[in-house]
Amino acid sequence: MATFLYKLGRLAFRRRHFVALIWVALLTLAGVGAASAPPAGNSSFSIPGTEAQKAFDLLEQRFPGASADGATARVVFKAPSGEKMTDAGHKATVEKTVDELSDGSEVASVADPYTGNAVSKDGTIAYASVKYDVSGMELEESTKDALEDAAQQARDAGLTVEVGGDALQAVPETGATEVIGIAVAAVVLVITFGSLVAAGLPLLTALIGVGIGVSSITALASALELGSTTSILAMMIGLAVGIDYALFIVSRYRAELAEGREREEAAGRAVGTAGSAVVFAGLTVVIALVGLAVVNIPMLTKMGIAAAGTVAIAVLIALTMIPALLGYAGRRVKPAGAKGKRLGRSRKGEPQPDASQPEQPAGQPKANLGTRWASFVVRRPLAVLLLGVIGLGAAAVPATSLELGLPDDGSQPTSTTQRRAYDLLSDGFGPGFNGPLMVVVDAKGSDAPKDAFSDVAGEIEGLDGVVAVTPPAPNKGGDTATITVIPDSKPSSVQTEDLVHAIRDAGGDIEAKTGAETLVTGSTAMNIDVSEKLNDALVPYLVLVVGLAFLLLIVVFRSILVPLKAALGFLLSVMAALGAVVAVFQWGWLSGLMGVEETGPVMSMMPIFMVGVVFGLAMDYEVFLVTRMREAYVHGEKPNQAVVTGFKHGARVVTAAAVIMMAVFAGFIGSSESMVKMIGFGLAIAVFFDAFVVRMAIVPAVLALLGKKAWWLPKWLDRALPNVDVEGEGLRTGDERGSGPDEDRELVRA
């Protein structure tokens, strides 16, 4: 692989005009496609194989034209202090509002509070339910404006009016902190390279890659039913890895220049060596993201594939456009040796620092920070290993109390009308009113459907945690009915989850007696089923993704223990990151700093999504850092010395890459979408744990303890595996191959 990528890098350097033209043309084509594409349609949330989805599909069959997936709105009215909604003046205002709402072309129905028993017992709060023919994302702006105007007119008449439901659903905003994240990345790049030109290359290529990826997603959003969150997550991940991949190649290019090579040759070698690491690092991220398909939730699958596509574009741009731009930059990108004395870098042929020597020999440049840290770790590996494992274990403790759920209006900021409507309904009708359960009774196989409907309603009324049960509402055929159940607990509570299971258990007994099937659906039941489905899929997903990546890393490192250590280190970092997410979003620690206005269950898809993304990113740092160690070992250095050499060349760049990735992810904490905010924080803290604790401390400590055993591979497996040559051995000249201790080279061959 190194030889192929070496030739590709040199070709891109020579044919830079052609390469740049291709990428600019792709960016233009994607931009035109995004601009001319129709707006994204209904990004329906389906969970195949669950009871809630089965009931939803049954409703569409048995209640045609009912717009089961249509948007809903609850216009909540509250009378001024000391007054009631049943007063003549307030009643007239509400009825006028209902009439205005009924005039909309997309409105399916509007329920009058006074005829639908939608006034609280104390008479202070009432609500009107509005049902639309299309989903919230498909509603025309004029329909949303009419809803807001009707609410405002009622406010002008003296009532407190708030609107809940998904009719006012808006595209999430990321806020100014995203720009701050990119600015931080730019500063880190300038500090790392000491050059505006060199720093600008990774930023430019990353933005082009993200532009192509996000524009392509936008262009296909309507056809593939992609939600707005899909493009945000693709942007988040694509921007982070795009900068990092380009950073590693530019850094290696400058190191090759410092070795005295011509610029075209340096570009080829940079792509052949660092580019090989980029390919395999990108493959691990793609495997982790595409592997989300095993969960069998279409929305999550689409998010993973879209983000994986953006990562693939980032890899291709790093391999082709970076060498092309290096050709344009010419001498403005200086060799790393230009700052050698100040940074402690040594030129080719200078003696390397010995890991066993705390002091550098006289006449040798002062060791850089990475060298000094690695030397310390290999001298005291056990202490560093224990400290790192105990620290991450302590951070992971909150994860033992992890509660999962999906966000509803109760998790919205208090400044939103949806959240205020949620609170008003809770005050007037109880917390369970915001999450009613819909029970669907399929009596097609029953001899007495009406009796079956009554039996189900009566059975549910006798369950604990039920506040109210509406009379069965049969369809025209009389073979199916819906029953609305109001719990006495809020939608995201454990009590509501227990009630859903209790209704389903009772339905099994009723089916045995009457032949009628009872199904529970609705948004609350959907959320519960999603959580359970994600939990059930977590272990198979881990086995698939970690297993495939483990095999891939065996090929890269030609070792058994190094990939095993990489996987175990990942588990430590992801558990610690989940612990931090629980502490902030569930327990409320530092919630004010993070802009979390309402604590509650962690988003259901957070664990499995973090496992996928963090695993891919963790393997990035593993590949970039350990391949330099492997390269040094293959070229003749002793195991501990190879660890120090890997840090000497890679620690500064990996540190910069981690800080950049943290800054990019942290930028999404300012999003108005709770899911994006949580993912941004979770990924940022996971990168911190993995890069600075696992890869910078635990990895060198374990390699120092293992010594030569770290690079052991059975001879039969060594012969069976393809030689991908990530360390670039095939690019070395005869003189380069002749350098280094013969004993160590023979050990590597063995």
Side-chain angles (χ1 to χ4, degrees):
M1 175 175 285
T3 303
F4 169 76
L5 293 178
Y6 164 77
K7 294 178 180 178
L8 178 64
R10 294 196 64 170
L11 178 65
F13 188 94
R14 289 195 309 271
R15 305 291 186 185
R16 47 187 172 270
H17 302 307
F18 180 68
V19 172
L21 182 62
I22 288 178
W23 284 113
V24 171
L26 289 175
L27 178 62
T28 303
L29 184 64
V32 171
S36 58
N42 180 20
S43 55
S44 57
F45 186 83
S46 62
I47 41 176
T50 61
E51 181 173 314
Q53 186 64 45
K54 181 180 178 181
F56 185 82
D57 296 339
L58 184 65
L59 284 173
E60 290 191 325
Q61 295 174 9
R62 305 286 175 85
F63 292 83
S67 302
D69 60 345
T72 59
R74 277 180 172 175
V75 183
V76 187
F77 307 89
K78 183 180 180 181
S81 178
E83 302 178 18
K84 293 187 176 183
M85 290 304 303
T86 52
D87 295 345
H90 300 325
K91 187 174 182 180
T93 299
V94 172
E95 290 176 344
K96 180 181 178 183
T97 304
V98 169
D99 290 339
E100 291 177 355
L101 291 172
S102 302
D103 293 336
S105 59
E106 294 180 313
V107 176
S109 64
V110 181
D112 189 310
Y114 302 104
T115 60
N117 193 26
V119 181
S120 62
K121 291 182 179 179
D122 61 6
T124 60
I125 297 175
Y127 70 91
S129 295
V130 186
K131 182 73 175 176
Y132 295 91
D133 292 323
V134 296
S135 68
M137 296 301 293
E138 293 176 306
L139 282 177
E140 296 180 358
E141 287 301 320
S142 58
T143 301
K144 295 181 180 181
D145 292 341
L147 177 59
E148 293 175 331
D149 291 343
Q152 186 58 48
Q153 290 179 19
R155 292 189 189 103
D156 295 340
L159 297 175
T160 298
V161 186
E162 305 296 346
V163 183
D166 60 353
L168 295 182
Q169 182 179 358
V171 176
E173 299 175 356
T174 53
T177 48
E178 177 190 345
V179 179
I180 295 175
I182 297 176
V184 171
V187 172
V188 172
L189 287 170
V190 171
I191 294 174
T192 302
F193 291 135
S195 164
L196 289 175
V197 174
L201 296 183
L203 276 178
L204 176 61
T205 54
L207 290 174
I208 290 174
V210 168
I212 294 173
V214 174
S215 296
S216 300
I217 291 171
T218 304
L220 299 173
S222 178
L224 301 181
E225 297 184 356
L226 302 178
S228 56
T229 307
T230 302
S231 59
I232 292 179
L233 296 178
M235 181 193 304
M236 180 192 303
I237 296 170
L239 192 61
V241 300
I243 294 174
D244 280 4
Y245 294 165
L247 166 65
F248 283 109
I249 292 180
V250 173
S251 177
R252 186 60 183 255
Y253 171 76
R254 296 176 71 242
E256 295 294 335
L257 288 179
E259 295 286 330
R261 295 189 174 87
E262 295 296 326
R263 294 186 178 274
E264 182 178 329
E265 176 69 12
R269 293 222 175 191
V271 175
T273 52
S276 297
V278 165
V279 169
F280 282 100
L283 272 177
T284 59
V285 181
V286 169
I287 288 172
L289 291 171
V290 174
L292 291 170
V294 303
V295 184
N296 195 26
I297 295 180
M299 186 188 77
L300 194 59
T301 300
K302 293 173 185 177
M303 288 167 57
I305 293 176
T310 307
V311 171
I313 293 172
V315 171
L316 293 174
I317 282 187
L319 297 178
T320 56
M321 195 168 186
I322 281 293
L325 293 178
L326 289 172
Y328 283 119
R331 298 186 180 277
R332 283 169 291 192
V333 177
K334 300 185 181 302
K339 301 191 294 180
K341 293 183 179 181
R342 180 162 59 87
L343 297 178
R345 292 190 177 99
S346 57
R347 297 292 188 115
K348 178 182 177 182
E350 290 182 325
Q352 300 293 315
D354 192 339
S356 63
Q357 298 295 330
E359 300 290 339
Q360 295 299 315
Q364 181 166 318
K366 183 179 178 181
N368 63 18
L369 182 60
T371 302
R372 295 197 298 273
W373 169 251
S375 299
F376 169 78
V377 173
V378 298
R379 288 197 305 271
R380 293 175 175 81
L382 188 59
V384 172
L385 176 62
L386 290 176
L387 186 61
V389 171
I390 292 172
L392 290 179
V397 168
T400 58
S401 63
L402 175 68
E403 295 179 8
L404 298 177
L406 286 178
D408 54 23
D409 285 347
S411 62
Q412 295 278 349
T414 53
S415 58
T416 62
T417 186
Q418 292 94 330
R419 171 60 187 280
R420 292 195 292 265
Y422 180 97
D423 292 338
L424 284 176
L425 286 172
S426 296
D427 294 340
F429 301 91
F433 201 79
N434 282 293
L437 306 175
M438 178 177 289
V439 178
V440 182
V441 184
D442 181 7
K444 199 167 187 178
S446 175
D447 296 331
K450 291 184 179 180
D451 293 339
F453 300 154
S454 300
D455 289 345
V456 172
E459 189 74 24
I460 294 174
E461 284 180 347
L463 296 175
D464 293 334
V466 175
V467 172
V469 177
T470 64
N475 63 347
K476 291 182 179 179
D479 58 2
T480 308
T482 59
I483 301 172
T484 301
V485 181
I486 307 297
D488 65 0
S489 52
K490 63 181 182 179
S492 58
S493 67
V494 176
Q495 292 83 355
T496 302
E497 182 177 351
D498 292 340
L499 177 60
V500 170
H501 290 302
I503 295 174
R504 288 173 173 170
D505 292 340
D509 296 335
I510 294 173
E511 184 175 6
K513 296 176 183 177
T514 66
E517 184 179 11
T518 301
L519 305 171
V520 185
T521 187
S523 60
T524 302
M526 279 273 195
N527 292 351
I528 293 170
D529 286 351
V530 167
S531 299
E532 293 179 352
K533 191 176 182 69
L534 289 167
N535 282 336
D536 293 341
L538 185 57
V539 172
Y541 176 70
L542 269 173
V543 171
L544 173 68
V545 173
V546 177
L548 288 176
F550 182 78
L551 295 175
L552 186 65
L553 292 179
I554 289 178
V555 174
V556 174
F557 296 127
R558 308 195 77 77
S559 163
I560 297 293
L561 296 180
V562 171
L564 180 61
K565 173 258 317 164
L568 294 177
F570 150 73
L571 291 176
L572 274 175
S573 58
V574 79
M575 288 303 298
L578 275 175
V581 169
V582 170
V584 173
F585 291 89
Q586 188 175 311
W587 291 0
W589 294 5
L590 301 178
S591 57
L593 181 64
M594 298 296 163
V596 181
E597 297 189 19
E598 183 71 19
T599 59
V602 173
M603 182 183 62
S604 298
M605 64 181 66
M606 190 68 186
I608 200 165
F609 189 82
M610 279 190 64
V611 164
V613 177
V614 174
F615 181 79
L617 301 181
M619 294 306 103
D620 276 4
Y621 299 119
E622 180 76 13
V623 170
F624 290 133
L625 191 61
V626 180
T627 47
R628 292 305 294 255
M629 300 177 189
R630 167 77 184 172
E631 184 177 338
Y633 181 72
V634 166
H635 294 164
E637 294 187 9
K638 295 180 179 179
N640 280 10
Q641 183 59 47
V643 172
V644 177
T645 300
F647 268 76
K648 174 176 179 285
H649 293 292
R652 180 183 177 89
V653 179
V654 169
T655 300
V659 172
I660 289 169
M661 198 169 282
M662 287 168 57
V664 172
F665 288 148
F668 289 84
I669 295 175
S671 172
S672 61
E673 177 68 39
S674 59
M675 181 173 74
V676 177
K677 181 191 292 287
M678 189 179 294
I679 290 177
F681 171 79
L683 294 182
I685 197 70
V687 168
F688 172 78
F689 287 144
D690 195 85
F692 294 105
V693 181
V694 174
R695 309 302 154 190
M696 291 292 182
I698 294 178
V699 165
V702 171
L703 291 178
L705 289 171
L706 291 175
K708 295 178 181 179
K709 296 177 183 177
W711 307 107
W712 171 80
L713 186 69
K715 291 184 178 180
W716 65 268
L717 185 57
D718 186 29
R719 291 191 296 267
L721 291 176
N723 183 13
V724 296
D725 190 20
V726 175
E727 59 273 0
E729 180 67 17
L731 304 180
R732 291 164 64 84
T733 62
D735 291 340
E736 291 172 322
R737 289 194 181 96
S739 62
D742 292 339
E743 178 185 353
D744 286 333
R745 283 200 304 277
E746 289 299 321
L747 174 64
V748 171
R749 293 192 190 99

